[in-house]
Amino acid sequence: MHTFKKTAMWTGIVLTGLCGIVLLGGGKITSGALLIVTAFTMALLVGRSPVPAWLRVVLICAVFALVIANISTTEIPDPSDPIAMGCGEELAFDYEPSGFKFLDQVVRIFNSFLAEAAPS
Protein backbone atom coordinates (compact mmCIF):
# COMPACT_ATOMS: atom_id res chain seq x y z
CA MET A 1 0.00 0.00 0.00
CA HIS A 2 2.89 2.35 0.76
CA THR A 3 4.33 1.83 -2.73
CA PHE A 4 0.96 2.51 -4.36
CA LYS A 5 0.51 5.71 -2.35
CA LYS A 6 3.99 6.96 -3.24
CA THR A 7 3.51 6.09 -6.93
CA ALA A 8 0.13 7.85 -7.05
CA MET A 9 1.55 10.92 -5.36
CA TRP A 10 4.49 11.25 -7.77
CA THR A 11 2.21 10.58 -10.74
CA GLY A 12 -0.04 13.43 -9.62
CA ILE A 13 2.95 15.76 -9.23
CA VAL A 14 4.27 14.91 -12.70
CA LEU A 15 0.84 15.28 -14.34
CA THR A 16 0.33 18.64 -12.63
CA GLY A 17 3.66 19.86 -13.98
CA LEU A 18 2.93 18.54 -17.48
CA CYS A 19 -0.47 20.26 -17.52
CA GLY A 20 1.32 23.45 -16.53
CA ILE A 21 3.73 23.09 -19.45
CA VAL A 22 0.86 22.51 -21.90
CA LEU A 23 -0.96 25.58 -20.57
CA LEU A 24 2.19 27.69 -20.89
CA GLY A 25 2.64 26.57 -24.49
CA GLY A 26 -1.04 27.09 -25.22
CA GLY A 27 -0.96 30.73 -24.18
CA LYS A 28 -2.38 30.50 -20.67
CA ILE A 29 0.68 31.91 -18.90
CA THR A 30 -0.88 32.52 -15.49
CA SER A 31 -2.45 29.06 -15.23
CA GLY A 32 0.66 27.31 -16.52
CA ALA A 33 2.97 29.11 -14.12
CA LEU A 34 0.58 28.45 -11.24
CA LEU A 35 0.51 24.71 -11.96
CA ILE A 36 4.28 24.47 -12.35
CA VAL A 37 4.86 26.28 -9.06
CA THR A 38 2.29 23.98 -7.43
CA ALA A 39 4.07 20.90 -8.80
CA PHE A 40 7.45 22.09 -7.50
CA THR A 41 5.95 22.91 -4.11
CA MET A 42 4.29 19.50 -3.90
CA ALA A 43 7.58 17.80 -4.83
CA LEU A 44 9.53 19.73 -2.21
CA LEU A 45 7.04 18.98 0.55
CA VAL A 46 6.68 15.23 -0.09
CA GLY A 47 6.59 13.41 3.23
CA ARG A 48 7.88 16.25 5.39
CA SER A 49 5.23 18.91 5.45
CA PRO A 50 4.20 20.48 8.76
CA VAL A 51 0.94 21.46 7.08
CA PRO A 52 -2.00 19.11 7.80
CA ALA A 53 -3.11 16.88 4.94
CA TRP A 54 -6.60 18.40 4.75
CA LEU A 55 -5.11 21.88 4.31
CA ARG A 56 -2.86 20.67 1.49
CA VAL A 57 -5.88 19.17 -0.27
CA VAL A 58 -7.85 22.41 0.11
CA LEU A 59 -4.95 24.47 -1.28
CA ILE A 60 -4.47 22.16 -4.27
CA CYS A 61 -8.20 22.26 -5.00
CA ALA A 62 -8.10 26.08 -4.81
CA VAL A 63 -5.21 26.18 -7.31
CA PHE A 64 -7.06 23.90 -9.71
CA ALA A 65 -10.22 26.02 -9.32
CA LEU A 66 -8.24 29.12 -10.32
CA VAL A 67 -6.79 27.27 -13.32
CA ILE A 68 -10.24 26.08 -14.42
CA ALA A 69 -11.58 29.63 -14.08
CA ASN A 70 -8.71 30.91 -16.25
CA ILE A 71 -9.25 28.21 -18.89
CA SER A 72 -12.94 29.10 -19.05
CA THR A 73 -12.02 32.60 -20.26
CA THR A 74 -10.54 31.23 -23.50
CA GLU A 75 -12.20 32.74 -26.55
CA ILE A 76 -13.51 30.31 -29.16
CA PRO A 77 -14.32 31.89 -32.53
CA ASP A 78 -17.67 31.10 -34.06
CA PRO A 79 -17.14 28.36 -36.68
CA SER A 80 -19.83 29.85 -38.91
CA ASP A 81 -17.91 33.14 -39.24
CA PRO A 82 -15.31 32.69 -42.02
CA ILE A 83 -13.57 35.97 -41.20
CA ALA A 84 -12.96 34.99 -37.57
CA MET A 85 -11.75 31.54 -38.59
CA GLY A 86 -9.46 32.91 -41.31
CA CYS A 87 -7.73 35.45 -39.08
CA GLY A 88 -7.26 33.15 -36.13
CA GLU A 89 -4.08 31.88 -34.62
CA GLU A 90 -2.17 28.95 -36.04
CA LEU A 91 -3.59 25.62 -34.91
CA ALA A 92 -2.14 22.13 -35.25
CA PHE A 93 -5.37 20.49 -36.45
CA ASP A 94 -8.95 21.39 -37.29
CA TYR A 95 -11.67 20.16 -35.00
CA GLU A 96 -15.40 20.30 -34.87
CA PRO A 97 -16.90 21.85 -31.74
CA SER A 98 -18.24 19.20 -29.41
CA GLY A 99 -20.98 21.34 -27.92
CA PHE A 100 -19.34 21.35 -24.49
CA LYS A 101 -17.79 24.79 -24.14
CA PHE A 102 -15.14 23.88 -21.56
CA LEU A 103 -14.00 20.83 -23.54
CA ASP A 104 -13.74 22.97 -26.67
CA GLN A 105 -11.65 25.51 -24.76
CA VAL A 106 -9.27 22.81 -23.48
CA VAL A 107 -8.95 21.33 -26.98
CA ARG A 108 -8.19 24.80 -28.37
CA ILE A 109 -5.45 25.39 -25.78
CA PHE A 110 -3.95 21.94 -26.45
CA ASN A 111 -4.18 22.59 -30.19
CA SER A 112 -2.31 25.90 -29.75
CA PHE A 113 0.34 24.07 -27.70
CA LEU A 114 0.83 21.50 -30.46
CA ALA A 115 1.10 24.24 -33.07
CA GLU A 116 3.81 25.98 -31.02
CA ALA A 117 5.68 22.74 -30.34
CA ALA A 118 5.64 21.57 -33.98
CA PRO A 119 8.85 22.04 -35.92
CA SER A 120 8.73 24.87 -38.43
Side-chain angles (χ1 to χ4, degrees):
M1 184 65 176
H2 180 68
T3 305
F4 175 75
K5 182 179 176 182
K6 193 177 255 190
T7 303
M9 182 175 46
W10 281 106
T11 302
I13 292 170
V14 168
L15 288 176
T16 301
L18 288 176
C19 287
I21 291 170
V22 169
L23 287 172
L24 277 175
K28 291 297 186 179
I29 305 300
T30 305
S31 292
L34 191 60
L35 282 182
I36 290 173
V37 167
T38 301
F40 275 119
T41 304
M42 287 173 17
L44 289 175
L45 297 178
V46 168
R48 56 185 168 132
S49 177
V51 180
W54 66 269
L55 185 59
R56 285 184 277 173
V57 170
V58 167
L59 290 174
I60 290 172
C61 288
V63 166
F64 276 100
L66 288 173
V67 169
I68 289 170
N70 191 336
I71 289 172
S72 68
T73 63
T74 303
E75 295 285 332
I76 299 177
D78 187 16
S80 64
D81 187 8
I83 294 174
M85 294 305 286
C87 297
E89 63 193 75
E90 180 184 352
L91 298 175
F93 58 89
D94 291 330
Y95 66 96
E96 291 293 322
S98 66
F100 296 103
K101 185 177 179 185
F102 187 76
L103 177 63
D104 292 339
Q105 291 167 328
V106 170
V107 169
R108 182 153 181 92
I109 292 170
F110 186 71
N111 199 356
S112 298
F113 169 74
L114 288 180
E116 288 291 324
S120 300

